[in-house]
Amino acid sequence: DQVRVMQDQLNRQFAARECYKAVAEKMPDGLSLEAMYFQKGKTLALNGKASSDTAPKVNDFSDSLRRATSGGQPLFKTVTTPQITSRGNEITWSFNAELLKGEND
């Protein structure tokens, strides 16, 4: 059904825009975003780098995304605990956020 396909595309575009907006607004100073992409149209994957002294900000960032809203509703169903790996004076970090409304919703 053509209308359903078009609506799915619009929903994905809206979700992507809302996710980009939330990341831009919630990302703390000191964190560097290396990659951000959607998996199967419903899970936002984020990873980046930072200096080791800013590691607590990664948890703050994931917590703030957990509380992000769109239109008065939560944007994400779940946000995973960040994985943080130390490499000298630098860390790499990653976590996922599952959209409350996925591609099939």
Side-chain angles (χ1 to χ4, degrees):
D1 175 63
Q2 181 110 12
V3 173
R4 173 93 168 123
V5 170
M6 289 175 64
Q7 187 61 48
D8 286 347
Q9 288 175 341
L10 285 173
N11 289 344
R12 282 193 297 268
Q13 289 173 354
F14 178 77
R17 188 186 79 215
E18 291 299 301
C19 288
Y20 291 135
K21 180 181 173 193
V23 169
E25 290 175 349
K26 307 287 186 190
M27 178 170 264
D29 290 339
L31 297 187
S32 173
L33 182 66
E34 299 289 312
M36 176 174 156
Y37 55 93
F38 285 97
Q39 299 171 330
K40 299 181 182 175
K42 64 186 287 183
T43 302
L44 176 67
L46 301 165
N47 63 64
K49 294 180 181 178
S51 62
S52 57
D53 61 334
T54 60
K57 290 185 176 186
V58 177
N59 289 317
D60 294 342
F61 181 36
S62 69
D63 287 343
S64 66
L65 285 182
R66 196 171 284 115
R67 294 186 301 275
T69 60
S70 174
Q73 298 295 314
L75 184 58
F76 301 106
K77 185 188 308 184
T78 59
V79 178
T80 62
T81 301
Q83 299 295 310
I84 300 173
T85 304
S86 294
R87 295 188 176 138
N89 292 332
E90 188 176 81
I91 61 165
T92 57
W93 56 268
S94 65
F95 62 89
N96 296 333
E98 184 181 351
L99 288 167
L100 183 63
K101 294 188 177 190
E103 187 171 276
N104 298 324
D105 292 339

